[in-house]
Amino acid sequence: MTFSLYAQTLNQNAMWPNATWTVTGIYNTDPLAFESDPTITTNFAFDDDDAGNGNDDEIAAESPIINLTAAHAAGETWITISGNFVYNYNNDDILQFEYWDADASSWNIFYGPINADTAGAPTNDFCSGTTEAYTTDVLNIAGFTATQLSGFRYRIYFDDLVGGPGFEWGFCFDSPTITSATPPSCPDPLMLTASNITDTTADLAWTESGSATAWDIEVLTTGTPPTGVPTASGVTNPYILTGLMENTEYDYYVRANCGVDGTSALIGPFMFRTACAPIAAPYTENFETFTTGAAAFVSENCWTGTGGAYYWESAPGTDAGSAGTGPDPSITTGNYFYTEASGGVSGNTTDLVSPLVDLTALTTPALTFNYHMFGGQIGTLDVLVNGTTNIWSLTGEQQASATTPWELAIVDLAAYAG
């Protein structure tokens, strides 16, 4: 009788609490905020809500050096990290895994940012929530130098707001495990993206994990199950996709074609939405077909909204809004947009962006809209063309009360005629 035994070169749990790990960054150290320190407890957890809106919190749990030389020598050049976590995501925070490049002396992202809640995530005491399993994307170390291998570290990194102090929720991680594995003969592609998206085209790209030079893709409208039959075969990376419908969500999948080594699994979906086709002027929008609700406006009817804690909100005319600001429902009919500043801080900005409008048919083009600016801390309302050129601006309170009538703005667009 004979048998074979496979021993994985690297299969190392962090074994929290572990004093060889370090916690770095600038963050609120109050135990209500820094809920669990992995150097002295079995978890890594941070509550940005309890840290407070005025704090700019950035925190990371960093592993000690893990020498990957033996794994590399054994041909186990695929590194992954897995474990369980709880996470309540809130728009503008960053939670991701990074590795240390000992040659460049820099941290590099290899998994994330994670932009979704775990199921039923709480808003406090995050380690009390129901955990969800994760496995990071593969980090391929086949091309690492001896220094990168012997000086390898990884970290779990959180930043509550890229632009400054934020007000987010939080997370809790159990002790993670790092493992090495031998890559398959035809590895799966990673990190699908779509860029340069127009109303009819998109540039699709992905990261090749092996040595494939040709790939197959399948493109479907979002929600349609993949068939496994490519819509295009033997394509290059990146690939310019054409013939799309405007303002439509698509899913795409990709697999590597490795010739004699076969094909990889079909990876995806990656979802993207095509842009809206230009609207020919004259163009009127009264917002009556927009969905109203007490949340940040993101996109609808080819309009988009941007911002974080300070945002645009689509509201019905019956919306009384916050006290001490306007407009009052008695002077408002139909839907309108207003900026919600309750969670914002001084210096925040938010944009409401129209679709592309073709002015060719107009000889004296202009933009007209009604505005109401009443409140104790009214900032500045700007009109920008193409996101860069400021052509109209108004600062400070313009109405004496919530019931003072709306004002009409007329913005000359003659410079853009033709």
Side-chain angles (χ1 to χ4, degrees):
M1 181 177 67
T2 63
F3 69 95
S4 61
L5 179 66
Y6 176 73
Q8 192 169 45
T9 303
L10 179 65
N11 189 348
Q12 180 177 314
N13 187 271
M15 298 296 291
W16 293 341
N18 189 336
T20 65
W21 277 67
T22 55
V23 177
T24 62
I26 300 174
Y27 52 91
N28 190 327
T29 58
D30 188 304
L32 291 176
F34 189 14
E35 291 183 343
S36 195
D37 180 345
T39 68
I40 57 176
T41 72
T42 58
N43 299 102
F44 173 43
F46 189 79
D47 187 333
D48 196 65
D49 176 37
D50 283 341
N53 189 41
N55 285 329
D56 187 4
D57 295 291
E58 181 182 11
I59 186 171
E62 299 181 7
S63 77
I65 289 177
I66 301 170
N67 194 331
L68 302 182
T69 304
H72 187 274
E76 296 181 14
T77 55
W78 274 24
I79 303 298
T80 57
I81 297 164
S82 59
N84 297 285
F85 78 132
V86 174
Y87 181 37
N88 195 326
Y89 171 64
N90 191 21
N91 296 322
D92 203 29
D93 50 336
I94 291 175
L95 182 63
Q96 60 198 22
F97 282 77
E98 302 177 345
Y99 75 92
W100 178 252
D101 183 337
D103 281 339
S105 296
S106 65
W107 288 102
N108 300 276
I109 304 167
F110 72 96
Y111 180 61
I114 304 169
N115 292 333
D117 299 345
T118 55
T123 58
N124 193 29
D125 297 327
F126 290 95
C127 294
S128 68
T130 302
T131 60
E132 189 172 291
Y134 69 87
T135 299
T136 66
D137 291 334
V138 169
L139 175 62
N140 190 347
I141 63 168
F144 274 31
T145 67
T147 303
Q148 290 171 317
L149 293 169
S150 63
F152 180 85
R153 289 183 287 148
Y154 74 91
R155 71 178 184 179
I156 303 170
Y157 172 85
F158 175 80
D159 187 354
D160 66 356
L161 188 66
V162 177
F167 183 70
E168 313 301 337
W169 292 119
F171 62 86
C172 176
F173 281 85
D174 294 345
S175 186
T177 297
I178 181 171
T179 58
S180 61
T182 303
S185 56
C186 190
D188 297 339
L190 302 171
M191 298 177 66
L192 279 60
T193 63
S195 60
N196 300 323
I197 301 169
T198 72
D199 54 330
T200 59
T201 67
D203 293 351
L204 310 184
W206 47 90
T207 299
E208 171 56 28
S209 300
S211 57
T213 57
W215 299 265
D216 305 326
I217 64 169
E218 184 173 6
V219 182
L220 306 154
T221 53
T222 294
T224 304
T227 65
V229 178
T231 52
S233 300
V235 304
T236 59
N237 180 18
Y239 175 70
I240 301 176
L241 181 64
T242 61
L244 303 174
M245 297 181 293
E246 64 139 347
N247 194 28
T248 301
E249 286 187 348
Y250 287 93
D251 291 337
Y252 89 89
Y253 301 78
V254 63
R255 71 185 179 199
N257 190 330
C258 301
V260 295
D261 289 327
T263 59
S264 73
L266 192 65
I267 302 304
F270 183 91
M271 189 276 287
F272 66 95
R273 176 183 286 275
T274 51
C276 294
I279 298 173
Y283 164 58
T284 300
E285 177 57 72
N286 59 15
F287 302 125
E288 293 309 294
T289 61
F290 282 64
T291 303
T292 59
F297 173 73
V298 177
S299 65
E300 191 174 22
N301 297 331
C302 297
W303 287 70
T304 57
T306 66
Y310 177 49
Y311 53 83
W312 285 93
E313 184 176 313
S314 175
T318 54
D319 189 336
S322 302
T325 186
D328 187 86
S330 65
I331 64 166
T332 302
T333 59
N335 295 347
Y336 69 104
F337 271 89
Y338 72 87
T339 53
E340 176 53 66
S342 298
V345 296
S346 179
N348 285 169
T349 63
T350 180
D351 297 323
L352 182 64
V353 185
S354 78
L356 191 64
V357 180
D358 184 352
L359 303 181
T360 303
L362 304 182
T363 56
T364 56
L367 169 69
T368 63
F369 62 91
N370 297 101
Y371 62 88
H372 199 281
M373 300 168 68
F374 166 67
Q377 294 179 312
I378 298 296
T380 299
L381 178 64
D382 297 312
V383 175
L384 287 77
V385 172
N386 298 330
T388 57
T389 306
N390 194 326
I391 59 172
W392 185 91
S393 186
L394 193 60
T395 299
E397 189 175 58
Q398 303 298 313
Q399 271 81 7
S401 70
T403 56
T404 302
W406 294 67
E407 295 287 345
L408 176 67
I410 303 176
V411 183
D412 184 10
L413 298 177
Y416 303 94

